[in-house]
Amino acid sequence: MKRIVLAGGCFWGMEAYFERLNGVVKTEVGYANGDTKEPTYKEVCSNTTGHAEVLDINYDPERISLETLLMHFWKVIDPTLLNRQGGDVGSQYRTGIYFVDEADVPTIERSRDEEQKKYEKPIVTEVLPLDYYYPAETYHQMYLKKNPGGYCHIKLD
C-alpha cells in the first residue's frame, strides 16, 4: 500500500472523484500542512490555520500508479490558480501534492513539469512533504455520497 495526499480545492469533490478509481483502496478527507493541531472545519475556513483541505489516498501501486493518480489530479484542477478552485476561495483551497515517501518526488516533479507545458502561466501547486495531517469531521467523509446534490467544482460524470 502507498499513500499520497492531494489538495485540489473543496475536498468533497476530490474524494468523490478519486474514490471511484480502480486501485484506490481508501480515501479520507482532512486538513494538512497548517500551523494548528486538530483544526476544525470552521477554523480552517477562517483562513487563520494555514491548513489546506486535502484528500488522503491509500492506493495499491500494483493496480494504479502514482503517475496515473497525478494524471487524474491535473485533470480536475486548474494548477495556475492560487488559493481557489471553482467557486471556492481561500488559502484552504490551494492546490498541493503532499508526499510521505521521498522516493515519489521525482515522479511528482516530472508530472508537474509535463503539465506545465500546457499552460502559459506558472503552476502554483505546492509540492511538499506531508508535515501534518488531521482527519476532517465525520460529516465531511464521503459527503457527496451522503448528499448527492451537494456542491462540487469537479465534473463527476
Side-chain angles (χ1 to χ4, degrees):
M1 219 42 69
K2 291 207 59 166
R3 179 182 183 207
I4 194 77
V5 177
L6 303 175
C10 175
F11 51 23
W12 297 341
M14 288 286 290
E15 184 170 49
Y17 182 86
F18 280 89
E19 64 96 17
R20 299 174 179 191
L21 299 178
N22 186 26
V24 171
V25 177
K26 179 179 179 271
T27 61
E28 180 180 70
V29 295
Y31 314 112
N33 283 24
D35 304 317
T36 61
K37 298 292 180 206
E38 301 182 7
T40 65
Y41 181 69
K42 186 176 180 181
E43 291 169 337
V44 171
C45 289
S46 74
N47 209 22
T48 59
T49 67
H51 287 283
E53 287 192 16
V54 298
L55 177 63
D56 187 359
I57 301 173
N58 287 277
Y59 65 98
D60 179 351
E62 300 281 321
R63 295 170 50 212
I64 191 167
S65 66
L66 179 57
E67 292 90 343
T68 299
L69 286 171
L70 293 172
M71 178 201 68
H72 282 281
F73 175 67
W74 299 121
K75 185 173 152 185
V76 298
I77 66 163
D78 180 339
T80 67
L81 297 177
L82 183 62
N83 297 334
R84 71 182 172 102
Q85 291 293 303
D88 298 311
V89 179
S91 63
Q92 73 271 28
Y93 300 117
R94 67 187 181 268
T95 57
I97 303 168
Y98 306 113
F99 56 89
V100 294
D101 184 350
E102 192 76 35
D104 289 339
V105 173
T107 300
I108 295 166
E109 289 177 343
R110 260 192 319 277
S111 176
R112 180 200 55 210
D113 295 347
E114 199 54 40
E115 190 67 16
Q116 180 62 67
K117 295 175 183 176
K118 299 175 186 175
Y119 297 92
E120 287 186 27
K121 295 190 291 187
I123 285 179
V124 296
T125 302
E126 297 179 324
V127 175
L128 296 168
L130 180 65
D131 289 331
Y132 180 78
Y133 171 81
Y134 188 71
E137 296 84 346
T138 302
Y139 73 92
H140 288 296
Q141 307 302 329
M142 296 295 178
Y143 184 86
L144 292 177
K145 271 193 174 174
K146 297 182 277 191
N147 302 279
Y151 167 77
C152 181
H153 70 284
I154 295 172
K155 189 168 176 64
L156 295 171
D157 297 323

